[in-house]
Amino acid sequence: MGFKPHGKHLINGEWIGTEESFKSSPASGEAHSFSVGSVELVDQACQAAEEAFWTYGYSSRESRAAFLNAIADEIEARGDILTEIGSQETGLPEARLQGERGRTTGQLRFFAQHILKGDYLDRRHDEALPDRAPLPRPDLKMVQRPIGPVGVFGASNFPLAFSTAGGDTASALAAGCPVVVRGHSAHPGTGEVVTEAINAAIKSCKLHPGVFSLIQGGPREVGAAIVQHPLINAVGFTGSLAGGRALFDLCAQRPKPIPFFGELGSINPMFMLPEAIKARGEDIAKGWAGSLVMGAGQFCTNPGIGVILEEQADAVMSALKEALAGVGAQVMLTQGIATSYQKGVEGIEATAGVHALVSTDSSGREACPNLFKVSSSEFLKNHNLSEEVFGPVGLLITVKSVDEMIDLAKGFEGQLTATIHMDAGDTDLAKRLTPVLERKAGRLLVNGFPTGVEVCDTMVHGGPYPASTNFGATSVGSMAIRRFLRPVCYQAFPDAVLPADLQG
Ligand code: NAP
């Protein structure tokens, strides 16, 4: 016990301290000092990343897989310190941090395996047709190549799995792209320990030190400088709609615009179909309550909305109220997130047509669950009800008919997930809903709850705006690597000059 971070940035293999510092705001334990980032440090990190790309971007898949596995080993070796500092900084329970660590190292090993298989390269070959008339065809080959240095913003709600060595970093490094991370100020000590692990892996694998740099929190110019730096080719981000949109706009306004892969969250509607509610309304309600309050509701896949026929609402309300009444106050990740939650709940409660089913007062850095009810017509009139309120708050939307349920589905904005609770007797309605929901969400579920995102080949953690800024991409699962690749076609190239992955 008693780990004390040194509070420095890692730039091109050097731990650099700056005179100006900020204090962490841990949920428990001692606050620590961390060096403030600067635009100059961003430039140094990006220059080093570009230099590193000339070797790392052309390295073998085997060596990158070994690097990813080495990072996972180094993180595991620091497991106890990570749990200690992580739970102090974020207030997340130790068991959750241990689980998240396993997910983070599992993700790194998963990408190592993925690149070794080589399918992601999407290699294609159109053989030469020298005798084709009227024109011969040259030999054409295609492969996916890494795009160069990438900027990554750590997320507040997953200090390990979506932060310093999280999915964005793992998929970029797997692709062959050096990474410059802007550490999240909610967990700078956790970020520092993970960076120590990455740095140790860089050394043991004898890679260019510019492959990874961490710039700790600081003024907003630091994040802006990363996305605007001419040597950065794409950005991975998980966070708020306001922050993500501001950074997305900066990417688009650059002289050379670059893609911004922002995962900005959603309200994840669940449609509770009539036969399912008749058969097991109470169980669905209890499951919803459990998913809603898990981790104080601080998941981007938190199911914030339940849609039900008005005549069936009573079948779930008492079970929901009972399940939520037993949940006490939970510590939130940051004071800012707790304050936004409290304001967000007040905003819902003050909206015309909204009725409180469970109304609690949260104070300080804590959140208690809240549940409200509103009709479909009032929901569609009040846009604020479509906005994510990060935390354990649910909204039950009542519809008068199944047709109104379909119309409501059409009115939703882009989502990460949409869920249908159904029984066999609901099949026709589910068949009408699915084509609508496909246009709204990246992942559709039947009879489940969206919290818990599997890291696998089929996962899509993304969706139409505002769920993400890039609907063709996912930030979880093996397809996440596609964000950091670019197809290149080689026409009439001799074998010896082709990239190694195309030779032979
Ligand atoms: P955030 O405010 O969007 O911040 C994320 C990161 O981006 C931070 O490092 C932040 O820097 C930086 N940033 C934000 N706006 C910027 C700007 N205009 N220019 C440069 N850098 C900028 O998200 P957060 O701090 O993680 O949480 C705040 C809210 O985001 C939550 O209440 C919740 O609504 C939402 N959220 C959503 C998800 C999700 O999964 N979709 C996850 C976490 C949070 P600073 O550290 O300096 O602020």
Side-chain angles (χ1 to χ4, degrees):
M1 294 295 279
F3 168 73
K4 192 173 181 326
H6 52 61
K8 294 178 181 166
H9 316 276
L10 180 75
I11 313 286
N12 198 19
E14 299 288 327
W15 287 105
I16 296 180
T18 39
E19 261 179 38
E20 213 187 326
S21 65
F22 70 94
K23 283 255 183 212
S24 60
S25 309
S28 64
E30 205 189 325
H32 299 290
S33 287
F34 292 87
S35 293
V36 166
S38 68
V39 174
E40 292 71 31
L41 288 173
V42 169
D43 183 50
Q44 287 172 30
C46 294
Q47 299 282 357
E50 173 67 11
E51 202 183 295
F53 184 70
W54 289 111
T55 46
Y56 191 70
Y58 303 84
S59 61
S60 69
R61 288 180 279 129
E62 288 74 15
S63 69
R64 292 203 300 283
F67 176 43
L68 295 168
N69 286 326
I71 299 175
D73 291 344
E74 296 288 351
I75 289 175
E76 276 158 10
R78 291 162 176 79
D80 290 346
I81 299 175
L82 278 172
T83 303
E84 179 192 327
I85 186 88
S87 69
Q88 281 176 9
E89 289 188 326
T90 62
L92 291 172
E94 291 193 354
R96 152 77 198 267
L97 281 158
Q98 284 156 0
E100 201 184 315
R101 187 173 78 236
R103 181 186 166 137
T104 309
T105 54
Q107 201 160 242
L108 287 156
R109 297 186 197 287
F110 171 77
F111 276 109
Q113 285 294 318
H114 185 62
I115 56 173
L116 286 177
K117 280 189 259 167
D119 300 350
Y120 79 100
L121 294 167
D122 193 15
R123 286 173 279 212
R124 296 167 189 218
H125 186 191
D126 288 310
E127 283 179 22
L129 300 174
D131 301 328
R132 190 180 68 173
L135 286 173
R137 183 173 78 183
D139 183 84
L140 295 151
K141 290 188 173 126
M142 192 288 292
V143 70
Q144 299 284 348
R145 296 290 302 142
I147 56 174
V150 161
V152 167
F153 285 72
S156 58
N157 58 340
F158 279 86
L160 297 169
F162 278 83
S163 286
T164 316
D168 288 342
T169 297
S171 53
L173 292 176
C177 299
V179 172
V180 176
V181 167
R182 158 63 157 90
H184 200 289
S185 44
H187 44 77
T190 313
E192 177 183 305
V193 178
V194 174
T195 301
E196 292 273 14
I198 299 173
N199 195 30
I202 289 175
K203 286 184 180 155
S204 68
C205 295
K206 299 188 171 41
L207 298 177
H208 188 295
V211 158
F212 180 89
S213 290
L214 166 79
I215 297 152
Q216 292 284 17
R220 286 277 156 94
E221 292 97 89
V222 173
I226 292 177
V227 305
Q228 289 177 311
H229 199 285
L231 294 173
I232 291 291
N233 297 275
V235 176
F237 173 95
T238 301
S240 67
L241 177 57
R245 183 61 201 243
L247 293 167
F248 170 87
D249 288 344
L250 288 180
C251 284
Q253 285 156 14
R254 290 167 44 125
K256 184 184 98 178
I258 55 168
F260 177 84
F261 297 102
E263 193 266 89
L264 313 179
S266 70
I267 49 174
N268 304 297
M270 292 194 314
F271 294 81
M272 302 186 271
L273 306 197
E275 295 305 318
I277 290 298
K278 270 188 221 156
R280 53 198 162 83
E282 211 178 300
D283 288 345
I284 294 172
K286 281 185 197 156
W288 182 19
S291 186
L292 192 65
V293 301
M294 190 190 290
Q298 299 167 110
F299 291 112
C300 36
T301 50
N302 199 34
I305 300 276
V307 181
I308 194 164
L309 283 178
E310 197 174 80
E311 70 213 36
Q312 291 189 313
D314 286 344
V316 295
M317 275 186 328
S318 51
L320 273 169
K321 283 188 204 174
E322 199 182 317
L324 294 176
V327 180
Q330 291 173 279
V331 179
M332 298 202 90
L333 292 157
T334 66
Q335 183 57 54
I337 289 177
T339 307
S340 297
Y341 174 69
Q342 289 148 20
K343 280 197 188 135
V345 169
E346 280 166 26
I348 296 174
E349 198 154 23
T351 305
V354 169
H355 306 280
L357 298 178
V358 175
S359 176
T360 58
D361 283 325
S362 305
S363 60
R365 196 165 155 172
E366 289 184 333
C368 296
N370 285 279
L371 182 68
F372 300 97
K373 183 164 88 103
V374 70
S375 68
S376 170
S377 54
E378 291 292 341
F379 175 81
L380 291 171
K381 270 189 243 163
N382 293 290
H383 186 263
N384 68 309
L385 298 178
S386 300
E387 289 164 10
E388 179 188 50
V389 173
F390 206 54
V393 56
L395 185 61
L396 187 67
I397 306 181
T398 56
V399 291
K400 290 191 164 51
S401 64
V402 293
D403 288 339
E404 199 180 16
M405 193 180 271
I406 306 278
D407 286 343
L408 173 66
K410 288 180 182 164
F412 278 115
E413 297 188 314
Q415 305 290 334
L416 294 170
T417 73
T419 301
I420 300 174
H421 287 281
M422 62 175 286
D423 270 7
D426 294 311
T427 302
D428 286 344
L429 177 53
K431 282 170 77 172
R432 287 179 67 197
L433 261 178
T434 301
V436 180
L437 298 182
E438 262 174 18
R439 296 187 65 189
K440 301 288 174 183
R443 178 164 58 108
L444 305 184
L445 298 82
V446 163
N447 293 339
F449 296 93
T451 38
V453 183
E454 193 67 28
V455 180
C456 58
D457 288 332
T458 47
M459 182 47 63
V460 176
H461 190 61
Y465 188 84
S468 81
T469 53
N470 200 305
F471 56 71
T474 172
S475 60
V476 177
S478 58
M479 283 192 294
I481 198 171
R482 291 187 183 174
R483 298 173 299 169
F484 307 122
L485 295 165
R486 193 169 64 78
V488 179
C489 173
Y490 301 84
Q491 183 169 329
F493 259 56
D495 205 49
V497 189
L498 283 169
D501 281 324
L502 273 183
Q503 284 178 14

